[in-house]
Amino acid sequence: MFSTPVRKSITDLTRRKARASFTVLTLALAVASIGVFGVPAVMEQAMDREVAANRLADVTLTMKPLRLTARDLAALERVPNVVAVEPRTTFATRVYVGSRREEAMLIGVPDFGAQQTDVVAVAKGAPRAGSLLVEAANVRKGDFKGSVAKIVTADGSVRALPVSGQGRTLGGSSEWDFLTFYAPARTVAAIAGSDGFTSIGLRLNDAGRAAAETTVAAVRDQLRATTGFTAFGDLPTIREPGSYPGKTEFESMASILNVVSLLALISALVLLSNTMTTLIGEQTAEIAAMKAIGARGRDIRRIYLRTAGMFGVLGSVLGVALGIVISNLLVRYFAEFLFGIHAGFGVSPPVLVASLLVGLVGPPLAALPAVRRAARLPLNEALQASGSAVGGQGRLDSLLRHVRGLPRPVQIGLRSVGRRKRRTAATVLQIALAVATCLALLSLGSGVATSTRGWFDDNHFDVWIQPQAGKVLDADSGRAIRGVEGVKGAQPWLSNAVKVGGTEAQAWGLPARPLMDTRIEQGRWYSPADVTHATRVAVLGRTIAGTTGSAVGDRIRLSTANGPATFRVIGISANQADNGSVVFVPVSALQSVLGTTGTFNNYFLTTTTDDHALIDRTTTRLEDALAARGEQVGTFVNYDMREQQVAANANITMSITVLGLLIVAISMVALINAITMGILERTREIGVLRSIGARARDVRRIFATEGLVVALLGWAVGVPLGYAMARAIGWLAGNAVGLDIAFVFPLSYVAVALLGTVILALVVMLAPLRRAVRFTPGEALRYA
Amino acid sequence: MSELALGSEPLLRAVRPPLIELAGVEKVYRTGKLEYPALRGIDLTIADGDMVAIVGPSGSGKSTIMNMITGIDRPTAGTVTVGGERIDAMSEEELAIWRGRHVGVVFQFFQLLPTLSALENATLPLDFAHRGSRPERRERALHNLELVGLADRADYLPSELSGGQQQRVAIARALASHPTLVIGDEPTGNLDTTTAAEMFELLERVCREGATVLYVTHDMELAARAHRVVTIRDGLVVDA
């Protein structure tokens, strides 16, 4: 059925089952690492499904509580381009979890059975009047347990509401880890003490920005015409078509993920090339025999390239399957972690094709140099090749021979490191790459934590108060705040969503001496005179300055909820407020632009103590005092935000580190491969050693020493490489998320990497070492 | 001397206690579905201090007998007793220790460790057996290298030595632990005639010093120099 050369190619696959399995596994890992590039695409597919199922709003408008009748809503639905309208009532409050008060968000849904946008899916139980559904993600994370929620109502009293089930929305509980509850709109209105909707979600025919903005204007006009509506609380949130909450964050993470995948791919390709070289090298004598009986160079090339191709087919099939599994596991993890959703199964066709291409073409290409070398080897020399390397005579070998005083098995193992220099170098490189990646990712994690802490340490306030969207705090509120026991100072300011030349940002209208470090990098901060005269000057956060290409001295046009305004850039700040997408302006200037002179929607507060418990108590008193005035506010306690954000960032960097484990896995396969190949090549040698009295443990020590030395060399090369990589990944991650990430590279990580390398090397070598002593001396001597 | 020795050999064999006893030894090699009976029931006794040549055509089972006697392979049936010990009943670890103490093996292709010098190769069995201190092992290995005429090449790697020199190192290695039994699997098969003769003289000397020497050979001239020739054919002893 097959010609003899084809049969030879096939039998080359099957006669060394262990080696063939390793080669296929290696290939599979290389192919699988390409599959990881498909994570963003598979996530996109999952999110598209999720967006469609959730009927995510294309535009969300916020406002002061507004009564809308069925007729009003029907009128809105008739506005051109509007497909569906869904009003919501949100109420930011507190809920008691045990004896602690936690921040909570109540979302009122008019009719759970007829939701038009941002669908709250009922995951468990059923919504009932006077009851709550708790966000499923809060339950999963363990933030909320129990069947009753004690909610602080608008008048400050506490009302216990039964929890009748669980609900779920896209991104329902991602922001600041609020506890989120869903309930019928009337239930929320009763707790909020105000009858009206605070937001409107719209689904549009044409969700493009221009069409969306026109529709928003038409909706505003319609509301003004039929209700007591005056203005939206903030700039409308227009979702880019195909976008979803948290997409930017995920894509930033995916860019780092891709770097790690690329490293994994490089590592796997090196391993592949090494494996193919060994495979051909072992058969040099056989190649010579074929040449001796008349095989031409091209016959030999065909045989081995065909074998490599067959490995490619097997590796591709396994690798593509593995890649799909890994990418789906990663997507599932990130989808649950970032968005609280269960991502379904997905495949990225372009990545699939690329995987197959690398899997099928890679092995013959990797084998080509070795095949060429073997085919060109003089016949006589090739006939004498044993497949096992003799002792080298190079400087390294000479150096290794001069290491004395070690037990003989250790000495033999040490010297064996130099016997296959190319293989040793490739294995060392792969381990180095793994060590370096781990060090770089550990460094990134620490850097992010340090930077996060640093940003919160820039804040000189203890508590930050923000009323519910669309509301403001007047002078009376300020007096009430200052009168609360434990409050030392209160600094009012104003914030609003703006656009700088089409890029979304936050305008922070602050006093001349804000309770935060302004971290001026270029130019200056505005003066008290600028504030007094409401001068239209701006200090840009570094991210927005970079995105818009603005520099000190430029004039920028801010689009605000009250129309456009021009400001002169006088400084660039490295403060990481809103991740650097912030425009600091004199508070009076922002008030003038928004037409809200004398009003504020934020307060920075200092307290009389540094004690966290006392700060918490002051915060509670503040909430109660304002609630008694009918003002619901969100309070952010600086120390608490700092801890939460550090924990959240640690989770993200941990997720990326998990992917780094793929590289570790590849490097460990490389080590197993190198040791197994060494054992296979030197099986006869093991037989000789056993024949002259070597015990199993002597043989194990020889190969364990060899493996450990290779692993340690990998660690030694990996440390400086890791240092460089940490710098590069830190820079890349900083650019991706627009944050200044501190560089942290403590010696303790180097020690941890050493320990990890040694332990992992010892663990992965267990199976090959067992194999080394599996044969009886007779079987080993006959091994060919 | 030689004539006297040869002449008195039957008498010597008669009075010496047996060192090696093979009783009903069978060995079947299995490769996939194939079964190959290499030994079909061997009964053989070899006296202590004997020099025995094992001859026979290729594939007759000569090397298999050697492997049975050294415990390198195990019989499928029958018993192998060496120095009063049933080595077929020993575990692999016990066998390794036993070989390290009592047996020296010389292979056809020398099988020296390529990364170790001649001296280190000659020390290896002592290292594995943990016999003596390091200086003592070194001294003993040097003495053996002197014996084979290679003391001046002690620091050379195998790749820096000729085939004959490598085989001398292999003999020095086989003598490392002062074995009672020296086994040679075609020890001169890969050497030229002059070197082969030198090697053989070395083995004769080892035997004279008290060791039992067994060697496999195709060379009938070398076989004739043994005290006794055992002929194997198709896995059976046809002449002993």
Side-chain angles (χ1 to χ4, degrees):
Chain A
M1 187 172 151
F2 294 117
S3 67
T4 312
V6 174
R7 270 210 299 278
K8 154 93 179 120
S9 301
I10 296 171
T11 49
D12 276 349
L13 275 182
T14 53
R15 69 176 179 171
R16 287 265 198 277
K17 290 186 181 61
R19 186 184 56 195
S21 307
F22 268 118
T23 310
V24 170
L25 180 66
T26 304
L27 252 165
L29 277 174
V31 174
S33 64
I34 300 170
V36 179
F37 286 110
V39 168
V42 176
M43 178 66 97
E44 191 99 23
Q45 289 170 13
M47 292 310 289
D48 283 347
R49 284 194 296 271
E50 211 45 46
V51 166
N54 281 270
R55 295 181 212 151
L56 218 56
D58 296 312
V59 174
T60 305
L61 304 164
T62 57
M63 63 235 168
K64 290 178 188 172
L66 180 70
R67 287 184 187 175
L68 290 170
T69 62
R71 182 184 289 180
D72 295 331
L73 292 169
L76 287 178
E77 275 179 3
R78 284 196 297 276
V79 169
N81 195 32
V82 172
V83 175
V85 178
E86 174 80 15
R88 290 277 158 93
T89 304
T90 55
F91 178 59
T93 181
R94 298 286 184 280
V95 63
Y96 278 91
V97 176
S99 59
R100 281 195 62 168
R101 278 200 336 188
E102 300 279 351
E103 292 194 54
M105 181 69 78
L106 266 58
I107 296 173
V109 180
D111 182 353
F112 276 90
Q115 298 179 68
Q116 299 300 313
T117 69
D118 301 319
V119 172
V120 176
V122 179
K124 208 173 178 181
R128 277 200 291 271
S131 299
L132 302 172
L133 295 176
V134 61
E135 163 63 42
N138 291 142
V139 178
R140 196 176 59 247
K141 289 184 203 164
D143 297 336
F144 184 85
K145 291 171 195 160
S147 55
V148 174
K150 289 194 278 183
I151 305 281
V152 178
T153 65
D155 61 11
S157 63
V158 177
R159 202 171 143 191
L161 291 173
V163 175
S164 61
Q166 291 177 19
R168 190 172 66 82
T169 55
L170 198 53
S173 66
S174 57
E175 189 83 4
W176 294 114
D177 280 337
F178 279 154
L179 284 171
T180 306
F181 296 93
Y182 310 103
R186 280 183 190 167
T187 304
V188 177
I191 296 167
S194 63
D195 193 10
F197 296 107
T198 54
S199 73
I200 298 173
L202 303 174
R203 275 193 296 123
L204 308 179
N205 255 329
D206 178 356
R209 182 157 284 274
E213 280 175 355
T214 308
T215 310
V216 168
V219 167
R220 181 169 51 211
D221 292 344
Q222 174 65 35
L223 286 171
R224 276 179 181 159
T226 56
T227 68
F229 175 81
T230 50
F232 294 122
D234 229 325
L235 277 180
T237 305
I238 299 173
R239 184 174 63 84
E240 296 292 332
S243 177
Y244 48 83
K247 186 180 185 185
T248 315
E249 288 79 1
F250 174 71
E251 282 177 346
S252 303
M253 200 188 293
S255 66
I256 302 170
L257 213 75
N258 283 343
V259 172
V260 180
S261 306
L262 189 68
L263 291 173
L265 178 63
I266 291 170
S267 186
L269 289 178
V270 171
L271 178 57
L272 177 62
S273 165
N274 203 19
T275 308
M276 296 314 295
T277 306
T278 307
L279 185 87
I280 310 294
E282 271 183 2
Q283 299 199 23
T284 310
E286 224 167 82
I287 290 170
M290 286 190 282
K291 281 169 94 173
I293 57 168
R296 288 163 298 177
R298 71 172 186 201
D299 298 321
I300 289 161
R301 274 197 296 276
R302 272 185 195 167
I303 288 173
Y304 289 101
L305 292 180
R306 202 181 290 124
T307 307
M310 287 174 187
F311 274 124
V313 171
L314 292 172
S316 298
V317 170
L318 189 64
V320 163
L322 198 63
I324 290 172
V325 170
I326 291 175
S327 60
N328 274 279
L329 282 176
L330 282 169
V331 167
R332 185 180 288 192
Y333 172 76
F334 284 122
E336 192 154 322
F337 173 66
L338 290 175
F339 310 114
I341 62 160
H342 295 290
F345 178 81
V347 173
S348 162
V351 172
L352 194 73
V353 171
S355 303
L356 279 171
L357 213 62
V358 168
L360 296 175
V361 178
L365 278 181
L368 204 55
V371 171
R372 275 194 182 158
R373 260 199 311 275
R376 284 178 189 164
L377 204 63
L379 188 54
N380 186 36
E381 204 177 311
L383 277 169
Q384 286 171 15
S386 65
S388 175
V390 295
Q393 313 245 337
R395 274 189 197 166
L396 174 69
D397 304 288
S398 170
L399 192 75
L400 291 174
R401 274 202 294 278
H402 282 90
V403 179
R404 301 201 187 274
L406 298 170
R408 189 68 74 204
V410 175
Q411 220 169 35
I412 297 171
L414 187 64
R415 292 180 194 184
S416 297
V417 170
R419 285 175 79 172
R420 286 280 188 202
K421 290 189 182 60
R422 203 177 293 176
R423 186 195 297 160
T424 300
T427 313
V428 165
L429 182 70
Q430 281 165 318
I431 294 172
L433 208 57
V435 168
T437 308
C438 288
L439 284 173
L441 293 176
L442 277 173
S443 163
L444 177 68
S446 295
V448 168
T450 306
S451 301
T452 311
R453 285 192 197 100
W455 184 69
F456 286 98
D457 290 343
D458 277 352
N459 296 337
H460 301 153
F461 56 84
D462 298 313
V463 183
W464 172 4
I465 289 181
Q466 212 172 28
Q468 283 197 61
K471 290 192 178 177
V472 292
L473 295 164
D474 58 17
D476 286 344
S477 312
R479 274 190 288 279
I481 289 167
R482 287 187 182 90
V484 169
E485 185 193 338
V487 172
K488 188 175 163 191
Q491 188 172 70
W493 58 283
L494 184 65
S495 72
N496 213 262
V498 294
K499 277 194 207 157
V500 185
T503 308
E504 287 179 7
Q506 280 291 322
W508 285 32
L510 292 170
R513 290 192 184 81
L515 281 169
M516 53 178 257
D517 201 321
T518 57
R519 293 207 172 270
I520 291 295
E521 263 192 345
Q522 290 171 41
R524 65 174 178 88
W525 187 257
Y526 43 81
S527 64
D530 289 329
V531 176
T532 309
H533 298 111
T535 315
R536 295 198 173 181
V537 289
V539 174
L540 300 184
R542 198 155 54 181
T543 309
I544 192 73
T547 316
T548 59
S550 306
V552 174
D554 288 354
R555 288 187 176 278
I556 54 166
R557 190 180 155 89
L558 295 188
S559 303
T560 73
N562 201 35
T566 303
F567 279 72
R568 184 164 52 87
V569 179
I570 59 166
I572 306 290
S573 165
N575 187 293
Q576 292 290 324
D578 275 308
N579 286 357
S581 286
V582 62
V583 182
F584 297 111
V585 295
V587 58
S588 50
L590 188 59
Q591 284 172 333
S592 133
V593 167
L594 295 173
T596 56
T597 307
T599 59
F600 305 95
N601 58 7
N602 291 274
Y603 266 87
F604 285 153
L605 305 178
T606 51
T607 60
T608 52
T609 176
D610 289 333
D611 185 283
H612 291 173
L614 293 177
I615 292 173
D616 286 347
R617 254 176 261 160
T618 302
T619 307
T620 307
R621 281 195 289 269
L622 268 166
E623 287 164 1
D624 292 343
L626 288 167
R629 290 171 47 82
E631 289 171 328
Q632 288 298 324
V633 293
T635 50
F636 306 102
V637 179
N638 196 44
Y639 85 85
D640 191 36
M641 286 195 292
R642 183 182 189 264
E643 284 170 14
Q644 279 187 32
Q645 196 59 38
V646 167
N649 288 342
N651 275 334
I652 292 171
T653 48
M654 182 56 73
S655 315
I656 297 168
T657 308
V658 167
L659 189 64
L661 295 181
L662 184 64
I663 300 179
V664 175
I666 293 172
S667 76
M668 288 302 131
V669 169
L671 184 60
I672 295 175
N673 209 1
I675 296 296
T676 307
M677 293 296 180
I679 288 168
L680 289 174
E681 278 175 6
R682 293 178 358 228
T683 302
R684 285 177 64 88
E685 202 170 288
I686 294 170
V688 172
L689 288 169
R690 299 281 269 155
S691 301
I692 61 169
R695 280 165 289 183
R697 70 167 185 213
D698 296 318
V699 175
R700 280 197 294 265
R701 277 172 89 186
I702 289 172
F703 288 99
T705 303
E706 192 177 331
L708 270 181
V709 170
V710 170
L712 288 175
L713 283 173
W715 168 81
V717 177
V719 170
L721 189 66
Y723 183 87
M725 209 186 272
R727 288 256 180 218
I729 286 188
W731 178 83
L732 188 83
N735 278 346
V737 296
L739 278 173
D740 273 338
I741 296 177
F743 180 72
V744 183
F745 198 87
L747 272 177
S748 58
Y749 287 175
V750 177
V752 168
L754 173 64
L755 198 69
T757 307
V758 170
I759 292 173
L760 266 179
L762 286 174
V763 169
V764 301
M765 281 190 303
L766 280 177
L769 292 182
R770 210 172 291 148
R771 184 184 178 84
V773 292
R774 198 184 62 184
F775 295 125
T776 65
E779 287 166 340
L781 285 170
R782 282 192 297 278
Y783 192 86
Chain B
M1 166 80 189
S2 156
E3 274 179 22
L4 178 67
L6 281 172
S8 31
E9 201 51 35
L11 179 67
L12 281 174
R13 260 190 279 150
V15 295
R16 281 183 196 158
L19 179 74
I20 300 163
E21 286 180 284
L22 276 71
V25 171
E26 292 175 19
K27 178 67 185 176
V28 179
Y29 289 116
R30 290 185 178 87
T31 314
K33 291 173 187 171
L34 285 179
E35 283 197 354
Y36 172 70
L39 300 179
R40 297 161 184 266
I42 298 273
D43 294 304
L44 182 67
T45 305
I46 293 168
D48 192 9
D50 235 351
M51 183 155 185
V52 179
I54 299 182
V55 297
S58 291
S60 59
K62 306 184 295 292
S63 295
T64 309
I65 287 191
M66 301 298 242
N67 285 351
M68 295 294 128
I69 293 168
T70 51
I72 286 174
D73 259 334
R74 290 169 181 283
T76 310
T79 60
V80 181
T81 310
V82 181
E85 294 188 79
R86 276 279 304 278
I87 65 164
D88 58 286
M90 287 183 187
S91 70
E92 285 301 331
E93 286 305 275
E94 287 168 339
L95 277 171
I97 296 166
W98 173 80
R99 273 193 300 270
R101 286 184 187 153
H102 303 289
V103 185
V105 186
V106 183
F107 299 94
Q108 182 181 358
F109 293 102
F110 332 130
Q111 307 288 9
L112 299 176
L113 286 211
T115 56
L116 299 185
S117 67
L119 179 62
E120 287 166 336
N121 265 294
T123 318
L124 209 48
L126 295 172
D127 291 327
F128 288 137
H130 301 286
R131 287 176 75 168
S133 65
R134 280 192 188 185
E136 282 167 352
R137 291 178 206 168
R138 186 183 154 81
E139 203 177 314
R140 169 120 188 101
L142 258 177
H143 168 77
N144 286 334
L145 281 179
E146 251 174 45
L147 203 70
V148 298
L150 274 178
D152 59 332
R153 298 276 196 276
D155 289 329
Y156 282 45
L157 286 175
S159 57
E160 296 166 327
L161 299 171
S162 68
Q165 287 170 329
Q166 286 188 52
Q167 193 60 307
R168 284 170 197 238
V169 177
I171 292 176
R173 181 178 69 183
L175 301 179
S177 53
H178 220 315
T180 49
L181 177 62
V182 175
I183 298 280
D185 192 353
E186 301 208 38
T188 58
N190 212 32
L191 301 174
D192 61 71
T193 321
T194 318
T195 317
E198 284 173 19
M199 287 308 101
F200 199 77
E201 276 163 24
L202 262 173
L203 289 177
E204 283 177 322
R205 185 171 161 185
V206 169
C207 184
R208 279 201 299 276
E209 286 177 4
T212 305
V213 176
L214 255 80
Y215 59 96
V216 166
T217 184
H218 279 106
D219 186 332
M220 292 317 286
E221 269 184 46
L222 288 181
R225 287 168 72 173
H227 303 160
R228 182 181 166 201
V229 177
V230 176
T231 308
I232 310 282
R233 193 184 302 274
D234 297 331
L236 290 168
V237 176
V238 292
D239 185 14

